[in-house]
Amino acid sequence: MHELLLASVNRIRKSIHMNELVDKAFINVCFICDEEQWIVRFNGQNIDIESVKDTVGDVIIEGDIESLRLLLQGEDFLISMKKRGELGVSGQLKDLLLLESLLYLSKNFR
């Protein structure tokens, strides 16, 4: 799970055309897969990943590894996956849309 998150964060960092969007991103996203919980902290240009024991964050996403891979690689949309029941998602709509944009727009930077 950590490698998947790290690859996604690195793609976002490499996306020069997304600097303005990343600068405005101040959200904490908790990803839950099996027994693992990771938080990705978007704090402007700083993006950190940390293993956590408590489920905390502005956005909480829970799913199996394949669903999370599709999301994190920009292959599918967060809101669509939530509607289809492939992911459990909680958070404010503005934060969900920001995260969805960051992940989807960075998919061409592998």
Side-chain angles (χ1 to χ4, degrees), residues 21-80:
L21 185 60
V22 172
D23 283 343
K24 296 176 184 175
F26 290 91
I27 57 173
N28 296 315
V29 183
C30 183
F31 291 92
I32 303 168
C33 180
D34 298 325
E35 299 299 317
E36 293 183 71
Q37 292 189 85
W38 294 88
I39 193 156
V40 178
R41 299 181 199 283
F42 292 89
N43 189 14
Q45 282 296 320
N46 296 322
I47 307 171
D48 299 309
I49 304 169
E50 178 183 338
S51 176
V52 292
K53 300 219 183 284
D54 297 324
T55 305
V56 295
D58 303 308
V59 174
I60 298 171
I61 301 172
E62 185 171 4
D64 62 40
I65 193 70
E66 181 59 21
S67 296
L68 290 172
R69 183 192 66 74
L70 290 171
L71 174 68
L72 292 168
Q73 292 181 348
E75 302 291 327
D76 207 340
F77 294 100
L78 177 62
I79 305 300
S80 298

Side-chain angles (χ1 to χ4, degrees), residues 75-97:
E75 302 291 327
D76 207 340
F77 294 100
L78 177 62
I79 305 300
S80 298
M81 294 179 83
K82 177 184 176 185
K83 286 181 182 177
R84 292 191 305 261
E86 296 170 5
L87 292 174
V89 179
S90 66
Q92 292 185 2
L93 182 59
K94 69 178 184 71
D95 293 335
L96 300 180
L97 292 173

